[in-house]
Amino acid sequence: MKTSVHGIHHVTCIAGDAQENLEFYVGVLGMRLVKRSVNQDAPDTYHLFYADAAGTPGTDLTFFPWPNMGPARLGIGLTVEVLLAIPSGSLKYWRERFKQNSVVSSTLETRFGEPTLPFIDPHGLRLALVETDENRQFVPWEKSPVSPERQVRGLHSVRIWEDQLAPTEMLLTEHMGFTSLGTEDGWHRYAVAGGGSGKLIEVKVLPEEHRGRWGTGVVHHVAWRTNDSDEEMALRDRIEGAGLYPTPQINRFWFKSVYFREPGGTLFELATDGPGLDYDEDLERLGERLILPPWLEARRKEIEAALPPLEVPRGRV
Ligand code: ZN
C-alpha cells in the first residue's frame, strides 16, 4: 500500500526561560499561545504551543523551556532551521519589526525562488520567514500584536543536516510519500502531498560535520501530519518494515503520536490531525490555564507550584 504523510504537523524545540520564550513568540512573532501544558515525560517543565488562532495542524511551533540544559550543538542528525510562512509583500514590515525588537536577523536571501529572512530567537533557535502566496489552512488571531494580513501563516519547511543522503532520501520518497524537487546551494528539497508551503523538507549533506547535540535553542523533533489513527498505524508498519524503530502509538490527547529516528538520527513524529488542540478547552480560551494529562491531575497543586509563573504579553485589545 502506498503511504504518505500530508505535511508538517508541528515542530517542537528546546527553549531557555519560559517567559522570554512567550514574550518572543506571542509579543514579537504575534502567534497565539494555544496550549499551556507540561512535558508529559517531565511534568516540572512547561510545554508551550504557539500557532494560529485555532491551533490548525501545520501552524504549531511548540517548546520545552529547559533553561538549565546547556547550549545545543548543531550537527548531523538535527533539524537546523525552521521556516515560517508569511504573506507575500510582508517582509518589509517584518524586517522593521525585527529591528524595533532587536531580533538578530541576517541578510535577505532567495531560496528556491522564495524571499527568505533568516533570524534567531532569544535562545539561539535558527528560524526564517519565507514569503509565499500559497493557500494555507490558517485562522487569523484577532488579538495578535501583528495585523492579520501580516501574521505568520504556519510552518513552511524544515532543514536538516545529514552525513549521507541516500538512506534519508529513501525513507522520504519510498515510505513517507515525498518527491524530490531538486537541489539548490547543496540543499535537496522534497515535497509531499502535491507540495507547497507546509509540505516541504530540505536536506544538506555535510559528511565532515560532527553529530549534533540537543540543548537550549535547537529543534527537538519534527512531526508529520497523518489523517487518522489507521493511516498513522499503516505508516508505522511501513517505517518498521524499512528497518527503523518506531515507538508504539502514544495518546497525546490532542493527537496520537508515533516517534522514530530517521536513518540520519533526526527525531521524527507522526501525529494525527485530530482531535485537535480545542479537544479539552474552548477555542476562545485556548492557552489560558495549565492543561494536565488525566494521570497528573491529582498532582496539579504540586506541579503548578513548581512551574514559574507566566504572563502572556498583551496583544491588541
Ligand atoms: Zn511532537
Side-chain angles (χ1 to χ4, degrees):
M1 192 177 79
K2 186 83 184 149
T3 50
S4 177
V5 297
H6 305 289
I8 305 171
H9 185 285
H10 64 270
V11 174
T12 294
C13 314
I14 302 169
D17 179 75
Q19 181 65 36
E20 287 171 12
N21 177 256
L22 182 63
E23 278 168 19
F24 185 75
Y25 286 93
V26 176
V28 178
L29 283 189
M31 297 169 81
R32 182 180 183 189
L33 176 68
V34 290
K35 192 66 66 185
R36 182 191 303 226
S37 191
V38 292
N39 181 333
Q40 292 181 12
D41 306 313
D44 58 344
T45 308
Y46 277 119
H47 191 185
L48 303 176
F49 295 62
Y50 306 100
D52 71 352
T56 307
T59 68
D60 193 5
L61 191 53
T62 92
F63 291 88
F64 300 128
W66 273 321
N68 301 322
M69 193 171 189
R73 187 173 71 186
L74 286 190
I76 301 302
L78 278 187
T79 302
V80 296
E81 190 181 69
V82 182
L83 296 91
L84 302 173
I86 54 165
S88 279
S90 63
L91 258 181
K92 190 165 173 268
Y93 163 83
W94 279 103
R95 288 177 88 180
E96 191 54 37
R97 186 170 180 81
F98 281 180
K99 217 159 92 186
Q100 283 167 5
N101 288 281
S102 306
V103 178
V104 179
S105 61
S106 37
T107 48
L108 208 57
E109 297 174 20
T110 302
R111 298 187 189 167
F112 295 97
E114 297 167 326
T116 304
L117 181 65
F119 68 100
I120 298 177
D121 91 350
H123 302 132
L125 182 68
R126 295 188 186 197
L127 301 117
L129 295 178
V130 182
E131 280 194 348
T132 176
D133 276 332
E134 278 156 359
N135 227 352
R136 296 185 49 115
Q137 272 180 286
F138 167 74
V139 181
W141 181 35
E142 296 303 329
K143 291 182 183 160
S144 169
V146 176
S147 61
E149 65 274 15
R150 289 164 170 153
Q151 281 173 24
V152 171
R153 266 26 186 180
L155 297 153
H156 183 72
S157 179
V158 288
R159 292 193 144 186
I160 66 178
W161 284 351
E162 301 287 4
D163 56 0
Q164 44 181 330
L165 185 63
T168 298
E169 182 174 75
M170 168 107 56
L171 171 74
L172 292 173
T173 58
E174 298 290 313
H175 306 297
M176 292 178 71
F178 285 85
T179 52
S180 169
L181 290 189
T183 303
E184 182 186 276
D185 288 337
W187 287 100
H188 304 269
R189 181 178 250 204
Y190 303 87
V192 76
S197 186
K199 297 170 179 174
L200 302 166
I201 184 171
E202 288 147 28
V203 181
K204 191 169 215 172
V205 179
L206 295 163
E208 306 299 316
E209 189 59 63
H210 52 55
R211 291 205 70 79
R213 187 183 58 210
W214 279 339
T216 305
V218 86
V219 174
H220 188 268
H221 63 266
V222 177
W224 301 99
R225 295 176 69 171
T226 61
N227 286 330
D228 54 34
S229 181
D230 288 348
E231 189 184 60
E232 182 169 285
M233 290 309 281
L235 272 153
R236 187 191 176 282
D237 284 351
R238 192 70 192 246
I239 284 156
E240 196 167 40
L244 299 173
Y245 300 94
T247 65
Q249 192 182 58
I250 299 168
N251 189 353
R252 297 299 190 197
F253 304 99
W254 315 298
F255 42 82
K256 290 188 167 68
S257 298
V258 169
Y259 301 85
F260 63 100
R261 287 190 187 276
E262 55 83 30
T266 310
L267 186 59
F268 280 177
E269 175 185 347
L270 305 173
T272 53
D273 273 2
L277 291 174
D278 59 350
Y279 169 67
D280 50 9
E281 284 184 287
D282 272 358
L283 199 54
E284 300 300 305
R285 314 206 60 177
L286 285 180
E288 288 182 12
R289 64 186 286 268
L290 185 73
I291 302 293
L292 295 175
W295 67 88
L296 291 174
E297 238 353 294
R299 291 172 53 202
R300 174 174 281 274
K301 268 215 165 93
E302 170 203 340
I303 289 168
E304 283 184 335
L307 291 166
L310 285 183
E311 197 180 329
V312 182
R314 274 170 64 91
R316 297 184 306 164
V317 186

